[in-house]
Amino acid sequence: LTAKYQIPRRYGREWIAANELVLLLDGLDTLPLGSRRSCIQAINAFRESNGLTGIVVCSRRGEYGEAEQLLNVNTAIALHPLSGDQLTGYLAQGGAAFGGLAAALDESPELFEMAHNPLMLNMMTAVFTGEDAVVSTTQDVTSRVVSVKMLFDAYVERMFGQHAAHERYSQERTLEWLSWLSTGMNEHNQTIFLIEQLQPSWRPDRRWRRVYMLLAGMITGLAGGLMMWLL
């Protein structure tokens, strides 16, 4: 509460003690296996001391099962992929606007399988519909978007096309920066980017990390020395 939302510790402790919070904890599956097990143990310990505090924990089933430990919660809800009838009904609601996508799903088993995932289906509707669709024909769809990577590439291209190009931030440079950022977040097990969590370990090589530490030490030493001199 204090680190991410700048809420004073006193208020946070009072709210938890009075069971006034509902904790929504996402990303359990993004933790390393050892940390995942420790996190489950910590949640269960919290439940024993604060049993009336509402809590929801979200995780993929496979990663949760790998921990070989159960969360002490009252109910478990599993979200399943869309059924064939649900997918067909969704496309039917879109009418002619989803005609090209529906034809592409009929032609490509790979696309049809991915479409059972709501996130992928949402991306497909953004990519394959509208006058400025990135891919407009069944042939283009089945030849270009037969993998998750190709679908994301087409989606990114569509999103860039919705905004005017910026002189200082080209698409190539923006993708380069975002790729660096996502790689760093993945390596540091972060799902929410906070600039204050940037550490020297984000630097690509040890030489730059040493330079950073040296400069930081010099600045700290100079500041401390100046304060002592003034005193």
Side-chain angles (χ1 to χ4, degrees):
L1 287 172
T2 301
K4 290 192 175 182
Y5 302 108
Q6 291 76 51
I7 296 175
R9 292 179 182 274
R10 177 170 62 88
Y11 294 116
R13 291 192 179 105
E14 291 176 356
W15 294 343
I16 292 176
N19 300 310
E20 294 181 353
L21 296 179
V22 176
L23 307 179
L24 308 178
L25 309 180
D26 191 13
L28 178 65
D29 50 281
T30 65
L31 298 174
L33 181 58
S35 299
R36 205 179 311 151
R37 291 170 175 166
S38 300
C39 188
I40 292 175
Q41 294 172 3
I43 292 173
N44 289 339
F46 176 81
R47 291 280 295 162
E48 292 178 3
S49 59
N50 298 80
L52 297 180
T53 299
I55 186 170
V56 178
V57 183
C58 184
S59 173
R60 287 192 289 264
R61 295 179 62 182
E63 286 78 355
Y64 176 59
E66 289 177 354
E68 299 180 342
Q69 297 186 26
L70 297 179
L71 286 164
N72 183 21
V73 291
N74 298 327
T75 304
I77 299 175
L79 299 181
H80 295 274
L82 297 173
S83 66
D85 292 339
Q86 288 175 320
L87 180 56
T88 302
Y90 175 77
L91 295 174
Q93 290 179 359
F98 287 173
L101 176 57
L105 294 178
D106 290 338
E107 294 290 335
S108 173
E110 294 86 356
L111 274 180
F112 183 78
E113 184 66 26
M114 286 191 291
H116 287 79
N117 182 304
L119 173 62
M120 295 298 161
L121 180 59
N122 182 64
M123 294 176 61
M124 289 178 188
T125 58
V127 171
F128 304 135
T129 59
E131 296 180 357
D132 57 342
V134 176
V135 183
S136 57
T137 66
T138 301
Q139 182 178 0
D140 290 336
V141 170
T142 55
S143 63
R144 288 186 56 187
V145 186
V146 293
S147 69
V148 174
K149 180 182 183 304
M150 292 182 179
L151 178 59
F152 271 95
D153 289 343
Y155 180 78
V156 169
E157 183 179 345
R158 176 66 179 270
M159 293 300 102
F160 272 107
Q162 291 184 353
H163 303 277
H166 197 287
E167 294 180 358
R168 294 182 57 188
Y169 307 106
S170 64
Q171 178 173 337
E172 182 179 358
R173 291 299 304 277
T174 301
L175 290 176
E176 180 181 345
W177 290 329
L178 290 176
S179 297
W180 174 85
L181 183 61
S182 63
T183 299
M185 293 179 63
N186 185 59
E187 292 176 349
H188 292 80
N189 300 307
Q190 297 182 15
T191 56
I192 300 176
F193 175 70
L194 298 174
I195 193 170
E196 56 267 26
Q197 290 185 352
L198 283 174
Q199 298 297 324
S201 57
W202 283 67
R203 296 301 308 176
D205 53 66
R206 293 183 179 179
R207 180 171 64 90
W208 282 108
R209 297 176 193 172
R210 292 171 182 170
V211 170
Y212 174 88
M213 297 300 293
L214 177 62
L215 292 175
M218 291 176 59
I219 293 173
T220 303
L222 289 172
L226 178 60
M227 292 179 62
M228 293 299 295
W229 179 79
L230 291 174
L231 291 173

